[in-house]
């Protein structure tokens, strides 16, 4: 007789009944008793399977209760922070706007408006713990002008938090060879600062390969980029020395790391649309009107 057999002899059945004098393998008896309907011995497997859903249900309810209690504790501990988030305008904080990293930025034209409190987040944008879901760093805000009233705008940082941190590391490596450094001091040791001074024109041999926009640039393209950046007449070559030192560094940094603002300016001007991306920049972001 084997354990997996489906047919049992009468002798084997009698051997496993209580009080029988015949010998029977213990595993065989267990198998037989489990297969006999109405056996006097309790079936432990059936009993376990019967109570398993109940135990899982209780465990699931306990886990939900613990989760709710944990969230409640977190909210209670951060109640002051939540109320402060609605009361404080974080767009007036230089570190939050990344103004403390300039001239390692893409522009500063709107920074004064931020510092004056003219720009503020809309309701849910004030909750900083929701930033974990805002990977693209796009925020909805309100901009107030005394004569024009209030209107909705969109704030977009030119990169995710990790991408902006990578830019900091690249600048430090270019200047010092190390991934961490004093960012402001490092900017003056990079090629972005060395092009200042007596350099008259931005030439292809200087910026070739810095980014996709200048992968294989022509002098005509670079002249157009500089003219649009300087918001000057759309003809001839605009001399770099007519820009401030910080403006030159910001222009070259934009070309190297994220030429999106320059693409918007050059492309829109070519299509006959006047845009001022440079004039609507704040540190490492741009401001767009809600359509």
């Amino acid at each position: 007789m084997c354990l997996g057999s489906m047919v049992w002899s009468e002798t084997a059945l009698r051997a496993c009944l209580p009080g029988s004098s015949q010998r029977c393998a213990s595993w065989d008896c267990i198998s037989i008793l489990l297969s006999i309907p109405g056996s006097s011995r309790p079936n432990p497997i059936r009993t376990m399977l019967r109570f398993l859903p109940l135990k899982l249900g209780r465990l699931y309810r306990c886990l939900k209760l613990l989760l709710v209690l944990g969230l409640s504790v977190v909210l209670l501990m951060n109640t002051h922070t939540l109320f402060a988030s609605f009361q404080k305008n974080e767009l007036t904080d230089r570190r939050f706007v990344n103004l403390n990293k300039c001239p390692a930025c893409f522009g500063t034209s709107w920074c004064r408006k931020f510092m004056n409190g003219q720009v503020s987040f809309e309701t849910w944008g004030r909750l900083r713990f929701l930033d974990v879901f805002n990977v693209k760093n796009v925020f909805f805000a309100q901009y107030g002008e005394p004569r024009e009233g209030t209107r909705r705008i969109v704030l977009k940082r030119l990169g995710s938090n990790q991408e902006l941190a990578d830019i900091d590391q690249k600048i430090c490596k270019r200047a010092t060879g190390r991934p961490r450094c004093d960012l402001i001091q490092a900017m003056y040791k990079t090629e972005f600062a060395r092009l200042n001074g007596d350099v008259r024109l931005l030439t292809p041999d200087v910026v070739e390969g810095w980014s996709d926009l200048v992968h294989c640039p022509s002098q005509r393209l670079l002249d157009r980029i500089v003219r649009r950046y300087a918001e000057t007449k759309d003809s001839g070559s605009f001399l770099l020395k007519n820009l401030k030192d910080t403006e030159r560094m910001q222009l070259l940094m934009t070309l190297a790391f994220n030429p999106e603002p320059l693409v918007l300016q050059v492309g829109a001007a070519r299509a006959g649309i006047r845009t001022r991306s440079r004039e609507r920049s704040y540190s490492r972001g741009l401001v767009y009107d809600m359509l």
Side-chain angles (χ1 to χ4, degrees):
M1 177 176 19
C2 66
L3 180 62
S5 175
M6 298 301 294
V7 180
W8 305 93
S9 65
E10 184 178 354
T11 304
L13 291 172
R14 288 178 179 176
C16 290
L17 291 176
S20 174
S21 60
Q22 301 183 32
R23 293 183 177 181
C24 175
S26 59
W27 284 108
D28 292 341
C29 288
I30 293 174
S31 301
I32 293 171
L33 290 173
L34 288 176
S35 63
I36 296 176
S39 174
S40 60
R41 294 192 178 185
N43 189 332
I45 297 180
R46 290 181 180 176
T47 304
M48 183 179 66
L49 293 176
R50 186 185 307 152
F51 288 101
L52 185 60
L54 296 177
K55 292 182 178 180
L56 291 177
R58 290 176 182 174
L59 179 61
Y60 176 68
R61 287 193 294 273
C62 289
L63 290 176
K64 286 201 302 184
L65 180 60
L66 289 175
L67 179 61
V68 172
L69 289 176
L71 291 176
S72 301
V73 171
V74 172
L75 288 176
L76 288 174
M77 293 177 62
N78 293 275
T79 301
H80 177 73
T81 305
L82 291 176
F83 281 112
S85 297
F86 282 98
Q87 295 175 354
K88 178 184 177 183
N89 184 4
E90 292 187 318
L91 292 177
T92 60
D93 185 357
R94 293 175 61 88
R95 297 186 65 86
F96 184 82
V97 183
N98 287 328
L99 188 58
N100 61 310
K101 295 188 177 183
C102 290
C105 58
F106 303 112
T108 58
S109 58
W110 261 55
C111 290
R112 185 180 297 275
K113 299 179 186 297
F114 280 79
M115 296 300 104
N116 290 340
Q118 293 177 259
V119 184
S120 59
F121 284 124
E122 291 189 343
T123 308
W124 296 109
R126 298 174 183 268
L127 302 179
R128 296 279 62 81
F129 67 87
L130 295 178
D131 288 347
V132 67
F133 304 106
N134 189 8
V135 181
K136 297 296 184 180
N137 276 332
V138 177
F139 306 92
F140 296 96
Q142 297 280 343
Y143 167 64
E145 189 71 37
R147 297 181 179 180
E148 300 178 3
T150 303
R151 67 174 186 268
R152 297 185 70 193
I153 58 175
V154 178
L155 310 178
K156 178 187 176 184
R157 287 180 179 169
L158 296 176
S160 64
N161 293 338
Q162 184 58 51
E163 290 171 338
L164 295 177
D166 290 342
I167 290 177
D168 294 344
Q169 291 186 3
K170 290 177 181 177
I171 292 174
C172 288
K173 287 182 179 179
R174 291 188 182 205
T176 65
R178 299 188 304 272
R180 293 184 179 181
C181 64
D182 185 331
L183 196 62
I184 297 178
Q185 295 297 325
M187 276 294 292
Y188 290 94
K189 299 178 182 179
T190 62
E191 63 270 35
F192 307 138
R194 287 195 293 269
L195 290 179
N196 291 340
D198 297 331
V199 178
R200 294 174 58 82
L201 295 177
L202 186 63
T203 56
D205 60 296
V206 173
V207 298
E208 185 175 2
W210 279 12
S211 63
D212 291 338
L213 181 62
V214 288
H215 180 71
C216 185
S218 63
Q219 186 61 53
R220 181 182 178 186
L221 172 64
L222 296 180
D223 287 344
R224 190 176 187 87
I225 289 174
V226 177
R227 287 197 308 268
R228 295 307 305 152
Y229 183 82
E231 293 291 342
T232 187
K233 60 181 183 179
D234 202 12
S235 63
S237 298
F238 187 82
L239 302 182
L240 285 179
K241 67 178 183 179
N242 293 330
L243 294 173
K244 298 178 182 178
D245 289 347
T246 55
E247 290 177 338
R248 282 193 291 267
M249 285 190 286
Q250 290 166 3
L251 168 61
L252 297 174
M253 179 180 163
T254 305
L255 270 177
F257 296 119
N258 194 334
E260 179 183 341
L262 301 176
V263 172
L264 289 174
Q265 284 186 302
V266 174
R270 190 174 183 83
I273 304 173
R274 184 164 182 80
T275 180
R276 291 179 174 267
S277 295
R278 177 196 167 202
E279 295 185 3
R280 308 197 70 181
S281 59
Y282 69 97
S283 184
R284 294 188 169 183
L286 292 178
V287 180
Y288 300 89
D289 285 323
M290 286 286 290
L291 300 178

